[in-house]
Each structure stands twice: as structure tokens, then as C-alpha cells.
Amino acid sequence: NARDLERELAWFAQIMQARLSHYFAAEQLDDPLLCVDPPDLAGSQSRYAELLREFSLTIPERLLLLLALVPVLRPQLLDVLFSKNDATQRGFSEFGGMQASGHGGFVPTVETALFLLAGEDLAGRFAMLALFEPDGILRKAELLQLGPVPAGEPPHCAPLQLSREALQQLTFGQAKALGFSLEFPARRIETLLEWNDLVLPAQTREQLDAIQHWLQYSDTLLQQWGMASRLRPGFTCLFHGPPGTGKTLTACLIGKHCGCDVYKIDLSLIVSKYIGETEKNLARVFDLAENRGWILFFDEADALFGKRTKVDDAHDRYANQEVSFLLQRIEEFHGVVILASNLKTNIDDAFLRRFQSVVAFPMPKPPERLRLWQESFPAQVALAADVDLPRLAERYELSGGTIMNVVRHALLMCLSRNESVVRREDLEEGVRRELLKEGRAL
């Protein structure tokens, strides 16, 4: 990438100089986009060259991508645009641009791009505006983004920005996974387990097939079979059931099986007491996840997707608007959204009517609990002769997560005694502690 970008930046500098000469020259010169040939990268195997070929970028699109990249790689190339107009003793309005608070260089805007690509040719500027449309290749492929425009200012004031993934592709050659932050309050979740390790009723398993089928065949259904005009582009599902029954594990396994990243949304950073902030936080998450093939997993979704209330004051009205906004974003989202809740009745009916699937995760029955007990212990330990797993499975109604907590306690007791035998009293003590946490008697 560095080798090819050096050549590209040199070409960009020539185009910039030619545009300025063309603009300020007394006599008419040739169009800079026609008189300076771009580097030939047809034989290059860099990721940058691959992107140019993959999207068949034209010369204007290529220059626009470079203009957004220059402030990061070679900001001094734009310093010439800080030149003062002798007539006004300030910068040239036609150069556009803005001064960032932390970046000392020239930050290009849409106006800067129009000047570079078309100068003062009005028809040419109109033609180049198509490059900034949402369905233009640079924005559709999520290579280029437009920053916000302050209220009341011309739309051409929008600063040019590269998407995070595009910047990493164009520099390091590959995009890194998004990390948890205030800007992206979500964590990628994974599991080392497989489908065979998941203990669920047969009916629940069958319902999960609908999600996997959508992930595998949605493109064929929507595009090749022409159903895009009749069906929503995404898939929304509700997992409901007591804690520890496998909702999060199932989401991870679906992603693992279908080759999709699963991101668990931290609702504590999404929901805000300030009016309008929750919608902004939600929009940021959905915008980042759009068209990436991710599964968004909202755990304990009641906090955000709960029932709408009777409107008694402004806060009630805005709380209901948050629910409506979320419903709209989910319906427009090109991906899979999984909501998890302990109780189905906590979720607003307006959501339930629009879900493609509602999957119940019941407490495991005795045969399922026995399997969970049997598969929970590592090969390095043995069970004491008086440990009766069928009795434990029959007597105590525990979820899979709770059983694993009991096993963890018993194994730690083994290690503390420097033993490899699991004792009955340790298992019963673990069960007692778990039931106590839930407010139940042994």
C-alpha cells in the first residue's frame, strides 16, 4: 500500500497544481483531469490497487478518495489551499475546507472536492455532485463518509471523511475488528462451543433454523427471486426465557455457524436520560453495523424495547418516541437483530407483531438437565461414588448457566484440596448457594 500510495499522492499533487494553474491562469489551459495521467496499478497486488479494481473507480472517484486520505497521509499537500485572497485578505471561498480543532492542516470539504474536480465549471460541478449521493459507489461501498453540516450552512460545507474500515484497508491492508468504546458501545462475543454442546428442546432448535436459513439464503430470496420490493431487508428475532437458558450462547453459535460476527450491545451506554440522546446512540450503532453482515444482540432488551406507557408528561412522550425510532431502524436494518428478554410480556406488542421469529428458551426438563450435568465436568476429574447426577437432575430445577456455576464451585473445591475427585457435598453446597441467590429454598 505504501508503495502505491506514494505514486498516487505524487499524481494527486500534480492534479492539484494543475487545477490551481488552470484556475488562476490568464489563458485557458487544458482540463487537469485530462492532462495528467494516473499511475498504472493494474499489475499491483496491494489492497489499495485491489480496491480500485474491485469497484472500478473512475479518475474523479479515485481523486475524491485520495482527497479524503491526504489529511491522514500527507496533510502538507493541502497547505497551498490556505493561501489568502489579496482582494479580501482572507482565504479563497471557492477552496472550501475547514480548520479542525486538533488537526493543524487543511480539512477538505465537498466544496474542496468540487473545486479540485471541476474548478468553476458549473455544469462540471453539477455532474460531480453525483459522486456524493448515497447510491454513489464511494458511499455505497462505505469508503467515503460526509461529516455533519452545521444548521443553516450550505450542504457543501460537509467535511470529507474516510470510514474507519476504509482507512485501515487503504493503509494497513486489512480492517481490524471494532473495539468497545463510547462511539461504538458493543462487544464482539464468541464461543468455543459447538452446536452439539447446546442443550435445547427440539421445538426451540427447529425455530432457530429460520434465522440460519435467512443468513444463508436472504440474498438469493431478495435479489435473484425479486422479493426485495415485498420483504424487509433484515431479520428480527426475540429470544425469551429465564436467565441461563442459553440465549447468548445460541446467538454466538448462530454467528459461528453462518460466519457472521455477533456484537452484544451495551444498553447502559445506549439509554440516556437526556431527551434525544438515546436515538443518537442507537443511530450510531445501526449506521456502523449497516451492510456488514453482523448480528446485533440486545441482551436484557426490556430496558429499551419495553412497553410504551400512557403519556402523562414530556418524558413519557419522548420515551415512546424512542421505541418508535428503534422500531423504524430495525425495520430498515440490513442484517439480523436478536433481542433477549427474561419475559416475553415485557416487550411492546408493536415489536412482537413485526418480529420474524419469537423463540422460547424454557427451563430444561430433567432429561436435559441430566445431559447438562453429565457434559459439564472436564476429563481430568472423576465423580465420587456417592454423586448421583440423575437425582440432582430430577430434584433441582436449574438452568444450564446455574448448573455451570455449581460445577465451577465444586471444581474449585477440588483444586483447593489438591484432589481430582468431585464430592457430593460440594455439589450440594453449590446448589444451595445458587438457590439462595434466586431466593429459593434447598
Side-chain angles (χ1 to χ4, degrees):
N1 275 338
R3 180 194 65 238
D4 288 348
L5 285 171
E6 285 285 3
R7 299 174 62 190
E8 290 284 281
L9 291 170
W11 170 58
F12 177 88
Q14 289 180 287
I15 291 287
M16 176 62 73
Q17 186 57 50
R19 172 58 66 196
L20 292 170
S21 299
H22 181 275
Y23 184 67
F24 289 111
E27 70 278 5
Q28 189 65 37
L29 302 176
D30 292 335
D31 187 341
L33 271 63
L34 302 176
C35 66
V36 185
D37 293 329
D40 182 5
L41 304 180
S44 174
Q45 300 302 312
S46 72
R47 182 59 185 140
Y48 177 81
E50 289 176 354
L51 281 173
L52 296 185
R53 293 191 292 268
E54 179 181 348
F55 298 110
S56 302
L57 296 187
T58 63
I59 286 180
E61 290 166 344
R62 195 164 160 179
L63 283 169
L64 186 53
L65 192 62
L66 281 171
L67 181 60
L69 194 57
V70 163
V72 180
L73 301 183
R74 200 66 56 80
Q76 61 269 33
L77 290 182
L78 299 179
D79 284 352
V80 65
L81 299 180
F82 279 129
S83 302
K84 283 188 177 182
N85 187 328
D86 291 336
T88 62
Q89 293 302 307
R90 60 179 180 81
F92 288 86
S93 302
E94 52 268 47
F95 293 171
M98 58 179 290
Q99 179 77 54
S101 57
H103 177 70
F106 186 95
V107 178
T109 60
V110 171
E111 183 64 47
T112 312
L114 294 176
F115 173 78
L116 175 68
L117 298 175
E120 59 180 350
D121 176 13
L122 199 57
R125 288 167 62 90
F126 290 159
M128 292 303 172
L129 280 174
L131 301 178
F132 302 94
E133 293 297 322
D135 59 351
I137 187 62
L138 292 178
R139 293 190 63 187
K140 190 174 181 180
E142 298 184 346
L143 297 175
L144 183 71
Q145 299 173 341
L146 300 184
V149 177
E153 296 197 17
H156 296 175
C157 294
L160 304 183
Q161 301 171 347
L162 288 172
S163 68
R164 173 186 173 278
E165 287 74 15
L167 179 59
Q168 292 181 342
Q169 291 275 7
L170 296 174
T171 53
F172 300 119
Q174 61 181 0
K176 301 177 182 178
L178 279 171
F180 180 84
S181 68
L182 290 176
E183 290 297 314
F184 186 66
R187 289 182 174 86
R188 185 182 176 190
I189 54 176
E190 301 176 274
T191 180
L192 298 177
L193 299 178
E194 302 294 340
W195 273 112
N196 292 336
D197 300 312
L198 186 62
V199 180
L200 290 174
Q203 182 179 2
T204 301
R205 287 267 193 160
E206 292 173 2
Q207 289 179 288
L208 296 176
D209 290 341
I211 307 175
Q212 298 184 67
H213 291 162
W214 176 264
L215 288 168
Q216 293 171 340
Y217 307 120
S218 60
D219 286 343
T220 301
L221 177 65
L222 296 176
Q223 306 304 325
Q224 298 182 25
W225 287 18
M227 294 298 290
S229 61
R230 295 181 174 90
L231 298 176
R232 291 202 298 106
F235 191 98
T236 309
C237 180
L238 172 67
F239 289 176
H240 66 93
T245 49
K247 299 184 290 293
T248 302
L249 174 59
T250 299
C252 291
L253 288 172
I254 290 173
K256 185 176 183 179
H257 181 72
C258 298
C260 302
D261 290 340
V262 181
Y263 280 89
K264 182 178 179 180
I265 311 302
D266 189 334
L267 290 179
S268 67
L269 294 179
I270 289 286
V271 179
S272 173
K273 64 181 180 180
Y274 298 106
I275 290 174
E277 285 301 310
T278 299
E279 289 94 326
K280 290 181 182 178
N281 296 336
L282 282 168
R284 187 161 54 243
V285 169
F286 279 104
D287 289 343
L288 284 169
E290 193 68 52
N291 297 319
R292 300 182 194 273
W294 291 349
I295 296 174
L296 295 183
F297 181 72
F298 289 83
D299 197 12
E300 298 182 3
D302 318 54
L304 195 57
F305 303 77
K307 289 182 177 294
R308 284 175 281 196
T309 59
K310 179 182 177 182
V311 177
D312 292 326
D313 55 30
H315 289 284
D316 291 337
R317 182 170 66 254
Y318 280 108
N320 290 344
Q321 287 181 8
E322 290 173 2
V323 176
S324 300
F325 175 82
L326 185 56
L327 182 59
Q328 176 188 346
R329 286 310 304 256
I330 284 180
E331 290 187 334
E332 296 172 351
F333 180 61
H334 291 245
V336 172
V337 176
I338 298 176
L339 282 63
S341 173
N342 293 340
L343 290 173
K344 176 184 175 183
T345 53
N346 288 345
I347 302 299
D348 192 288
D349 291 339
F351 283 101
L352 290 175
R353 288 193 296 270
R354 290 168 171 83
F355 288 167
Q356 281 69 52
S357 178
V358 177
V359 183
F361 285 73
M363 289 292 286
K365 299 293 189 294
E368 296 159 357
R369 295 199 293 268
L370 177 58
R371 183 184 163 192
L372 287 166
W373 280 113
Q374 291 170 337
E375 296 180 359
S376 296
F377 297 96
Q380 290 82 356
V381 301
L383 301 181
D386 59 346
V387 171
D388 187 349
L389 293 183
R391 174 181 171 275
L392 286 173
E394 184 69 35
R395 182 176 179 183
Y396 301 112
E397 186 182 15
L398 303 175
S399 67
T402 302
I403 289 175
M404 285 309 304
N405 286 342
V406 175
V407 171
R408 179 190 294 112
H409 169 77
L411 294 177
L412 288 174
M413 294 304 295
C414 283
L415 291 170
S416 68
R417 294 190 297 264
N418 197 25
E419 294 179 354
S420 60
V421 176
V422 177
R423 298 181 182 181
R424 176 182 57 81
E425 54 267 30
D426 291 336
L427 291 173
E428 291 183 347
E429 174 61 19
V431 170
R432 188 190 70 81
R433 293 185 180 193
E434 292 302 312
L435 293 178
L436 189 62
K437 285 196 303 187
E438 298 175 11
R440 294 193 285 166
L442 186 64

